[in-house]
Amino acid sequence: MGTLIDRFDEHDGPVRGVDFHRSQPLFVSGGDDYKIKVWNYKLRRCLFTLLGHLDYIRTVQFHHEYPWIVSASDDQTIRLWNWQSRTCLAVLTGHNHYVMSASFHPKEDLVVSASLDQTVRVWDIGGLRKKSVAPMEDILRIPQMNADLFGGGDTSVKYVLEGHDRGVNWASFHPTLPLIVSGADDRQVKLWRMNDTKAWEVDTLRGHVNNVSCVIFHAKQDIIVSNSEDKSIRVWDMSKRSGVQTFKREHDRFWVLASHPELNVLAAGHDSGMIVFKLERERPAYASYGNCLYYIKDRFLRCFEYSTGRDNPLMSIKRAGPGVNQGPRGLTYNPAENAILVCSDAEGGIYELYNIPKDGTGRGDVQPDALKGSASSAVFVARNRFAVLDRNSSQILIKNLQNEVTKKCSLPGSSADTIFYAGTGMLLCKSEDKMILFDVQQRKSIGEVSAPMVKYVVWSSDMSNVALLSKHAIVLCNKQLQQTCTVHETIRVKSGAWDDNGVFVYTTLNHIKYCLPNGDNGIIKTLDVPLYVTRVFGSILFCLDREGKNLQIPLDSTEYLFKLALLKRQFDQVLGMVRSGQLCGQSIIAYLKDKGFPEVALHFVQDEASRFDLAIECGNIEVALQAAQAIDKKETWHRLGVEALRQGNYQIVEFSYQKTKNFERLSFLYLITGNLEKLSKMLKIAEMRGDVMSCFHNALYLGDVRARVRVLEDAGLLQLAYLTAKTHGLTDEAEKIATELEGNVPEVQEGSKLMLPPQPIVKEENWPLLAVSKGMLDGILAEDPGAYDIDEDEVDAAGAAWGEDLDLPGIAGDGEEDSEDMEEAVVGDEDEDDGWDMEDLELPADIANGDADIAADIGRDQGPYVAPPPGIPAVQKWVQKCSVAGELAAAGDFDNAMKLLNRQLGISHFEPLKQYFLDAANGSHVSLPTVSGIPSFVLGMERNWDAEAPAGRTQRPSILYTLDVLEEQLKKGYKLVTEGKFVEAQKVFTAIIHTIPLLVVETRKEVDDAKELLRISRDYLIALRVELKRKEVKDDPKLVAELAAYFTHCNLQPIHSSLSLRSAMSIFYKMKNYNTAATFCRRLLELNPPAKIAQQARQVLLACEKTPSDAVAVDYDARNPFDICTLTFKPIYRGNKYAECPFTGARFAPECKGQVCPLGDLTRIGDEGTGLVCSASQVR
């Protein structure tokens, strides 16, 4: 919205007229270079130029049907052009002054023109149309063209409308009626009517106080819109011939108007640019209850039944007042009394109370009397009570259905301007940037939540959840007004409704979207026109368009129901959706990975590379092996080996190392697994490869001393070979090598020991596996129908870690094995009288004590130990819980933290914050050392941790930056300023500015303290930049004095203000600007300085008052409040335009807009931001 798409720069001088073609990608322009240019905006170039006019071209327009263009010029002519043949068809002469506008009739063969000769002319071009479709067109074109140049017979003047006292600037046809409207320099708007034979003036509209620049008819309503050089746009009622609305600008004159041919949108051009606006709200007033939708259309209250689709008028509604934008703004329904409240903006805000007739169904002629009253908003609060917001008295009035006041309540917030229904006896009050839940009975606030400029409130059917809709944001809360999530949109939010599953479905200008309770959102459908959601039933969305038509749109709710099932951990529904195959796409896969369900995402992916990544992430080593075999790349096998080693599946590790030919890792793997046979093979392979180092390592791993001696000999390292042989007792080899050394034999130290590799503890196929237990959906998602069948072999292989089997007498399975087990359990003979004569067995002590070891051995023999999965990392839990940028940075989610800071504070340059982000993330973790050779444990530290808290409860991450730390920095900055170390002080205050975006506090008071800290740092940075600039420009005394004067107006501590005033006093006194120096003396004395300084100031003041004049004129006005631009170092006096930093609030000259703010180098001047959010209490 409002974005520059392209620029076209071929005209020489101003361009005065532009028009788009209705069906082709063309537009035409005319300018002061006497040229008409036709452009193709898709090709982004000018197609051709039409030449012929001899002076400035005022307006150009395409014909709605034929390939014609009409142009008006200061050369006192109107020309008609054929843009296909690129020729001039006719020249309309007759005006004797500049022709200011010319346009085609929307249906007939007419052209209307306005001229400064005080006339409006209507031209008949019917003959030209007939000639253009004649079969002999090409033959007759040249002679006819000659006639046209002299005002020939194809075109003629039909009417000359005289009545304006000065030059006419604009004239327009009505789109359907035989009417013309004109505006002139006599400040009047005139309405004309015409028939086949004549045209006459109907009425004159007066109200503008300067020249009327442009005037048009509205495309859909009986109104006239005009604008003027008096800086106003006026709206006139055609039937009453009177003004109904006026829009004014402070500094800009209006010059041109245009209306959209289909939409209720107008545009007006002024000195500084253009505005696009609507005259009336297009959102219909409606209220949904149960199976019915009550809405107002064409001044009738109608009822639409969702189940049957019946749409009946119930009664007529009077229009609240004359003019535009007087229609109903809101509608509230009372089911108990079958009554409605209609609110509108007429007369400054009124409400109307109607009782719907019981016999009025299906009849539109019923028009009951309404009870009225003044209020900015009104809603029902009980069966026979409604609340009215009276802003004049700042009270909420409770009235009965007879419109009588029964109770008065003070507003919960002094700035509350709107109230919304919140259940029986409850109201939601909008106050600036927050919503307050107000109990009417108890007359007190129950809760509040921060929400910027809420426009609409939507409750779920059971009143358990509420959605607060702003212009570009949605805040979801529960019934206690505790915030659950916030969704930000870049385009306008229009409406919304809750479906039966607790999902909020809403519309923007372009899309139907959804929002889950945890804040996840997405697009359901793209819209061509804006729609207003009234109800969601299953997969059907009911809505109203801007014309008040009820529409039913089928929704594909599979995506958000799938996400909702994952959120609620309803895995049976997830299973059904996966098997149906209705979901696919990278967005679903990315969502599942982000939410910690890679095992589910694995079943959506066909691409082998993606399958491999997901299988590695969720630890599914079998699927990863299949994908790696299909990909067959070295880096893939390496990653597979790393994951298999982590799980302890060293068979796949071995296979991966063999694929990558990583012989060194293979040798070490065989060493730690005790596979000496394969280690011997690795030694032979190394010898075949001629790799001396690998040969030595493998010999070392095997403990083969002779092989090590041989390798050292072959490498020419005879002294090392001698030491190795001598140390390990190989006397013969040592003597042989000694002879080769020829007396240069190294000395062998005493006490040398034989070094052999340790014996491995486990020599099985695989180690006890870690993190290989199946995911929660692996069994469900298996394609075979027997995913839940129990394999007897697996049961038999279960180790001792699962505990011992229970022998339950009297409960037998079916089959012979159970019978045999029972028989083996019987001790003694078969004498029934003795029963089960069970006696204790006396076992040897060594056997009895070894039961546990035997059981453990049996457990190892029967199968691998299966450990529980590691669980969700603390960082991931933090990210889901965090709502403040500082917490997200501490959790390591830099991307979302930066997006949040960009939206809230307008920060777009994050390079200065890089180290602060890293420090915040590192500060929320602690590293615990372990035994040698094992990496340290990195654990997340939580804020406000409580040992008594229930297990599984997730707190927020610990925060590195606190208010106490920043206050210490502030004190340090004060001290440096006092000492005159301005460069060091600037660094300290800049560091505070950089730290505040990542600050996290708990209470509202601390939020206010943080904002005050930001303000102080900003003011000091401005002051320091001014003072440092003053020291740079010592050669310019005038500029030095100005900067010294500006420095005194910075908001500093008293001691620093007194120092700045003393400096300015001295500088101005030396310049002989005694009058200004005296003002500094008085301000200094007001601060009650020490006696010595006060005495000096009084002496200077006495000297200045003797000669109250200024020798040098400086740009400084002490009486007019101003801000200092720290880029231009010029004052911005009150009332002048300025651009603002969205983070610090520092003000700059307008020409600095778009530059990087020097106070921290984080934002661009003029960008927008919603404000500093450093506490979860601000988003609840």
Side-chain angles (χ1 to χ4, degrees):
M1 300 294 292
T3 303
L4 177 65
I5 299 175
D6 218 331
R7 292 175 60 95
F8 300 87
D9 303 315
E10 286 195 19
H11 278 286
D12 298 325
V15 178
R16 297 182 183 268
V18 176
D19 187 47
F20 280 91
H21 198 280
R22 292 201 173 190
S23 58
Q24 300 293 326
L26 305 175
F27 70 92
V28 60
S29 62
D32 288 1
D33 55 1
Y34 313 164
K35 296 176 182 178
I36 298 172
K37 291 181 177 288
V38 178
W39 313 74
N40 187 310
Y41 56 80
K42 287 188 176 179
L43 300 178
R44 299 183 178 180
R45 64 183 180 88
C46 177
L47 300 180
F48 53 87
T49 302
L50 302 174
L51 301 176
H53 280 295
L54 306 177
D55 208 336
Y56 297 168
I57 297 168
R58 294 283 180 173
T59 64
V60 287
Q61 184 192 23
F62 280 111
H63 194 277
H64 61 281
E65 183 178 356
Y66 298 113
W68 294 350
I69 295 172
V70 63
S71 59
S73 171
D74 286 0
D75 63 7
Q76 304 180 14
T77 66
I78 301 118
R79 288 181 178 254
L80 297 176
W81 312 80
N82 186 316
W83 57 267
Q84 287 184 342
S85 61
R86 307 180 186 180
T87 57
C88 181
L89 300 178
V91 181
L92 311 182
T93 58
H95 286 295
N96 54 28
H97 209 307
Y98 298 164
V99 183
M100 302 299 289
S101 75
S103 59
F104 289 110
H105 193 282
K107 294 182 179 178
E108 301 180 17
D109 297 327
L110 299 174
V111 170
V112 64
S113 62
S115 171
L116 294 187
D117 62 7
Q118 303 181 14
T119 66
V120 175
R121 291 178 180 250
V122 180
W123 308 80
D124 187 350
I125 58 172
L128 187 64
R129 181 186 60 80
K130 294 176 182 177
K131 186 189 73 171
S132 66
V133 297
M136 297 298 289
E137 178 182 359
D138 295 335
I139 299 173
L140 297 177
R141 177 173 299 160
I142 295 176
Q144 188 64 45
M145 183 63 202
N146 293 331
D148 289 341
L149 291 173
F150 297 96
D154 292 335
T155 60
S156 61
V157 179
K158 191 170 185 180
Y159 314 115
V160 178
L161 309 179
E162 297 177 333
H164 284 288
D165 297 332
R166 291 191 179 183
V168 186
N169 292 315
W170 203 272
S172 301
F173 284 116
H174 193 281
T176 56
L177 300 176
L179 297 175
I180 298 172
V181 67
S182 60
D185 288 347
D186 58 6
R187 306 175 183 179
Q188 297 176 0
V189 175
K190 289 185 178 289
L191 183 64
W192 315 78
R193 181 178 289 274
M194 62 182 182
N195 58 20
D196 294 338
T197 58
K198 63 178 180 177
W200 63 96
E201 181 180 337
V202 176
D203 209 341
T204 300
L205 309 176
R206 296 178 175 86
H208 284 292
V209 295
N210 207 333
N211 302 340
V212 180
S213 306
C214 187
V215 58
I216 59 173
F217 292 101
H218 194 278
K220 295 188 177 183
Q221 301 180 35
D222 292 335
I223 57 176
I224 295 170
V225 185
S226 63
N227 63 13
S228 165
E229 295 180 40
D230 63 6
K231 306 170 188 175
S232 72
I233 300 174
R234 290 181 179 265
V235 182
W236 313 84
D237 190 321
M238 280 179 56
S239 58
K240 297 183 179 180
R241 315 279 170 76
S242 61
V244 294
Q245 207 160 2
T246 303
F247 307 92
K248 288 189 176 182
R249 289 182 72 87
E250 291 186 14
H251 307 292
D252 299 317
R253 297 167 296 175
F254 286 100
W255 297 104
V256 68
L257 275 170
S259 64
H260 196 284
E262 298 174 359
L263 304 178
N264 182 28
V265 176
L266 293 96
H270 53 77
D271 288 334
S272 302
M274 177 182 73
I275 58 171
V276 180
F277 61 98
K278 293 190 294 187
L279 293 178
E280 278 196 336
R281 289 167 50 89
E282 296 180 289
R283 178 190 177 98
Y286 65 88
S288 181
Y289 178 78
N291 186 44
C292 295
L293 170 70
Y294 298 91
Y295 67 102
I296 297 175
K297 176 183 178 183
D298 299 331
R299 302 183 186 177
F300 285 94
L301 176 67
R302 306 182 69 90
C303 176
F304 175 78
E305 296 182 6
Y306 293 116
S307 57
T308 62
R310 293 176 57 190
D311 191 352
N312 299 316
L314 299 182
M315 63 182 185
S316 62
I317 300 290
K318 292 181 180 179
R319 190 174 180 86
V324 297
N325 210 20
Q326 305 297 313
R329 173 171 48 87
L331 174 66
T332 308
Y333 175 67
N334 183 344
E337 298 294 334
N338 200 29
I340 61 168
L341 274 171
V342 180
C343 297
S344 68
D345 293 327
E347 304 173 16
I350 65 170
Y351 69 89
E352 295 176 306
L353 175 63
Y354 291 92
N355 287 309
I356 302 175
K358 295 182 179 179
D359 56 348
T361 304
R363 296 173 56 191
D365 55 352
V366 179
Q367 186 171 348
D369 294 331
L371 299 176
K372 298 183 180 181
S374 299
S376 58
S377 57
V379 293
F380 288 105
V381 292
R383 183 182 62 83
N384 55 357
R385 294 287 188 274
F386 65 95
V388 173
L389 176 60
D390 185 0
R391 295 189 64 184
N392 295 327
S393 61
S394 297
Q395 288 183 325
I396 297 175
L397 309 179
I398 307 300
K399 297 187 177 185
N400 57 23
L401 298 186
Q402 287 73 43
N403 206 23
E404 299 168 342
V405 177
T406 62
K407 182 188 288 188
K408 294 182 180 180
C409 305
S410 298
L411 285 173
S414 58
S415 59
D417 55 4
T418 313
I419 57 175
F420 301 94
Y421 176 69
T424 303
M426 306 289 283
L427 290 174
L428 278 175
C429 303
K430 185 188 81 172
S431 177
E432 294 180 348
D433 60 345
K434 62 182 178 181
M435 293 291 287
I436 302 172
L437 183 61
F438 183 67
D439 190 325
V440 176
Q441 299 294 331
Q442 302 180 29
R443 302 186 182 184
K444 69 175 184 178
S445 300
I446 305 299
E448 66 177 54
V449 65
S450 176
M453 297 303 293
V454 173
K455 300 174 68 176
Y456 309 107
V457 170
V458 183
W459 287 91
S460 59
S461 57
D462 58 357
M463 298 296 290
S464 61
N465 294 297
V466 63
L468 310 177
L469 276 60
S470 303
K471 187 176 181 180
H472 293 291
I474 298 173
V475 179
L476 300 187
C477 307
N478 59 19
K479 60 183 178 182
Q480 286 83 28
L481 213 62
Q482 296 172 342
Q483 181 177 346
T484 56
C485 68
T486 301
V487 177
H488 294 275
E489 294 288 345
T490 56
I491 56 177
R492 292 186 179 181
V493 178
K494 306 303 290 185
S495 65
W498 295 87
D499 80 343
D500 297 333
N501 299 296
V503 177
F504 187 67
V505 180
Y506 63 98
T507 60
T508 63
L509 278 174
N510 303 331
H511 297 102
I512 301 175
K513 308 183 84 171
Y514 66 85
C515 178
L516 299 182
N518 66 341
D520 291 337
N521 60 88
I523 298 174
I524 300 175
K525 192 180 183 70
T526 302
L527 297 175
D528 297 326
V529 294
L531 297 176
Y532 304 94
V533 180
T534 59
R535 195 68 181 270
V536 180
F537 278 118
S539 60
I540 301 296
L541 181 138
F542 292 88
C543 56
L544 287 168
D545 63 10
R546 285 178 167 172
E547 303 296 330
K549 297 178 183 176
N550 276 286
L551 304 175
Q552 299 183 27
I553 298 178
L555 295 182
D556 183 3
S557 57
T558 309
E559 178 181 333
Y560 74 73
L561 290 179
F562 176 79
K563 293 180 179 180
L564 184 65
L566 278 176
L567 178 65
K568 295 182 177 180
R569 310 188 74 82
Q570 296 172 343
F571 297 114
D572 52 343
Q573 296 184 19
V574 175
L575 170 63
M577 294 180 187
V578 171
R579 285 180 172 170
S580 64
Q582 297 177 358
L583 290 168
C584 61
Q586 293 298 321
S587 61
I588 287 291
I589 296 168
Y591 178 84
L592 290 168
K593 289 178 66 178
D594 185 53
K595 296 301 177 183
F597 296 101
E599 68 275 13
V600 182
L602 192 60
H603 294 268
F604 289 95
V605 181
Q606 301 298 326
D607 178 63
E608 293 296 344
S610 300
R611 281 177 61 82
F612 179 80
D613 292 338
L614 290 170
I616 290 294
E617 186 172 345
C618 64
N620 194 329
I621 204 71
E622 292 81 5
V623 176
L625 177 60
Q626 297 173 5
Q629 289 174 330
I631 299 171
D632 198 18
K633 290 183 178 180
K634 185 175 181 179
E635 57 270 18
T636 306
W637 286 114
H638 173 72
R639 288 182 59 195
L640 178 64
V642 171
E643 176 62 22
L645 189 61
R646 187 184 73 85
Q647 294 187 11
N649 194 331
Y650 80 79
Q651 292 178 339
I652 294 182
V653 177
E654 178 186 7
F655 187 60
S656 300
Y657 290 168
Q658 289 173 353
K659 281 287 188 179
T660 57
K661 297 182 179 178
N662 199 330
F663 299 109
E664 289 77 12
R665 295 194 179 205
L666 268 175
S667 297
F668 190 74
L669 177 68
Y670 294 146
L671 168 67
I672 60 177
T673 56
N675 198 330
L676 302 181
E677 180 182 354
K678 291 187 178 180
L679 197 55
S680 300
K681 292 182 180 179
M682 292 304 299
L683 177 59
K684 294 179 181 178
I685 293 173
E687 292 173 350
M688 294 171 59
R689 290 168 46 229
D691 189 341
V692 177
M693 203 66 198
S694 181
C695 290
F696 185 79
H697 280 160
N698 284 289
L700 191 65
Y701 295 157
L702 285 167
D704 191 342
V705 179
R706 296 183 184 277
R708 284 159 56 191
V709 172
R710 186 174 66 252
V711 170
L712 292 172
E713 281 187 280
D714 294 342
L717 302 174
L718 297 180
Q719 290 183 332
L720 288 177
Y722 173 80
L723 287 173
T724 304
K726 190 69 174 176
T727 301
H728 293 84
L730 301 180
T731 307
D732 296 340
E733 284 81 354
E735 292 176 355
K736 178 182 176 183
I737 298 172
T739 56
E740 295 181 15
L741 289 173
E742 298 177 353
N744 190 16
V745 179
E747 182 179 354
V748 180
Q749 297 180 359
E750 296 182 359
S752 301
K753 296 181 180 179
L754 182 65
M755 186 175 67
L756 293 175
Q759 290 293 324
I761 301 173
V762 180
K763 293 184 179 181
E764 298 181 356
E765 293 183 353
N766 274 325
W767 299 327
L769 303 181
L770 292 176
V772 294
S773 57
K774 291 186 177 180
M776 60 187 73
L777 293 176
D778 281 352
I780 301 176
L781 293 171
E783 295 184 2
D784 59 315
Y788 281 125
D789 295 345
I790 299 175
D791 189 353
E792 293 182 5
D793 294 336
E794 293 181 4
V795 175
D796 293 338
W802 292 102
E804 299 177 354
D805 293 337
L806 290 178
D807 294 332
L808 302 178
I811 302 178
D814 46 8
E816 298 177 5
E817 295 180 1
D818 294 325
S819 301
E820 293 174 1
D821 293 340
M822 291 297 291
E823 290 176 4
E824 292 173 1
V826 177
V827 181
D829 56 18
E830 297 178 0
D831 187 357
E832 295 182 1
D833 294 335
D834 294 336
W836 291 342
D837 189 9
M838 302 176 67
E839 297 178 356
D840 293 334
L841 296 176
E842 296 180 0
L843 298 176
D846 55 340
I847 297 178
N849 294 334
D851 284 348
D853 297 333
I854 296 170
D857 291 338
I858 294 173
R860 284 197 297 269
D861 291 340
Q862 289 180 343
Y865 165 72
V866 180
I872 301 175
V875 171
Q876 186 172 335
K877 294 181 181 179
W878 288 346
V879 170
Q880 295 174 357
K881 195 176 183 66
C882 294
S883 55
V884 181
E887 293 177 341
L888 290 171
D893 191 359
F894 294 168
D895 185 45
N896 282 326
M898 289 190 289
K899 289 179 180 177
L900 203 59
L901 290 176
N902 177 262
R903 186 164 60 244
Q904 293 172 351
L905 304 178
I907 296 177
S908 54
H909 294 75
F910 287 94
E911 185 62 29
L913 299 182
K914 180 179 178 180
Q915 191 59 45
Y916 295 89
F917 271 77
L918 295 174
D919 292 345
N922 293 331
S924 64
H925 293 78
V926 61
S927 179
L928 301 179
T930 59
V931 298
S932 177
I934 298 179
S936 300
F937 289 128
V938 178
L939 303 177
M941 295 189 296
E942 296 182 344
R943 190 163 79 255
N944 302 328
W945 182 81
D946 184 6
E948 303 298 328
R953 179 180 176 183
T954 303
Q955 298 290 345
R956 289 179 168 85
S958 62
I959 300 300
L960 180 63
Y961 306 113
T962 63
L963 270 179
D964 294 337
V965 174
L966 294 185
E967 287 172 357
E968 290 299 321
Q969 288 287 95
L970 182 64
K971 294 176 183 177
K972 179 181 177 182
Y974 284 160
K975 183 179 179 182
L976 290 170
V977 173
T978 306
E979 296 171 353
K981 299 177 181 178
F982 296 141
V983 176
E984 292 85 346
Q986 188 180 36
K987 293 178 181 178
V988 171
F989 286 109
T990 301
I992 295 175
I993 290 281
H994 288 168
T995 307
I996 287 176
L998 302 181
L999 184 66
V1000 179
V1001 297
E1002 299 294 339
T1003 65
R1004 286 281 183 161
K1005 182 182 180 302
E1006 291 177 326
V1007 173
D1008 295 337
D1009 292 343
K1011 291 181 179 179
E1012 178 66 14
L1013 191 62
L1014 175 63
R1015 184 196 63 76
I1016 294 172
S1017 301
R1018 175 200 67 196
D1019 293 342
Y1020 267 83
L1021 280 177
I1022 292 173
L1024 292 170
R1025 281 184 59 83
V1026 171
E1027 183 64 10
L1028 291 173
K1029 181 68 175 180
R1030 184 178 71 83
K1031 295 181 182 298
E1032 292 177 6
V1033 293
K1034 294 181 179 179
D1035 298 334
D1036 189 348
K1038 178 176 176 290
L1039 183 55
V1040 167
E1042 290 174 348
L1043 293 172
Y1046 301 157
F1047 190 25
T1048 66
H1049 285 265
C1050 295
N1051 190 7
L1052 307 179
Q1053 293 291 305
I1055 183 174
H1056 302 144
S1057 295
S1058 65
L1059 291 171
S1060 67
L1061 287 167
R1062 287 178 62 191
S1063 173
M1065 177 182 70
S1066 301
I1067 292 172
F1068 275 79
Y1069 185 79
K1070 293 176 183 178
M1071 285 180 61
K1072 299 182 180 181
N1073 278 31
Y1074 301 124
N1075 194 21
T1076 308
T1079 62
F1080 296 136
C1081 294
R1082 296 186 189 98
R1083 290 173 56 194
L1084 179 58
L1085 291 171
E1086 289 174 359
L1087 295 176
N1088 296 321
K1092 183 178 180 181
I1093 299 174
Q1095 182 181 359
Q1096 181 190 22
R1098 291 189 186 98
Q1099 292 172 352
V1100 174
L1101 180 59
L1102 288 173
C1104 292
E1105 287 177 344
K1106 292 179 181 179
T1107 312
S1109 62
D1110 289 336
V1112 180
V1114 294
D1115 183 11
Y1116 171 63
D1117 184 358
R1119 298 182 183 87
N1120 191 358
F1122 62 87
D1123 296 290
I1124 305 166
C1125 173
T1126 54
L1127 285 175
T1128 62
F1129 295 97
K1130 295 292 182 182
I1132 305 171
Y1133 291 103
R1134 180 176 295 175
N1136 293 347
K1137 292 184 177 180
Y1138 60 86
E1140 198 170 61
C1141 170
F1143 174 28
T1144 62
R1147 294 181 176 180
F1148 297 85
E1151 60 267 22
C1152 298
K1153 185 175 182 180
Q1155 298 184 38
V1156 177
C1157 175
L1159 309 184
D1161 299 325
L1162 300 177
T1163 63
R1164 288 193 177 276
I1165 299 168
D1167 286 356
E1168 294 183 355
T1170 58
L1172 176 65
V1173 177
C1174 57
S1175 172
S1177 64
Q1178 294 176 270
V1179 294
R1180 285 183 187 137

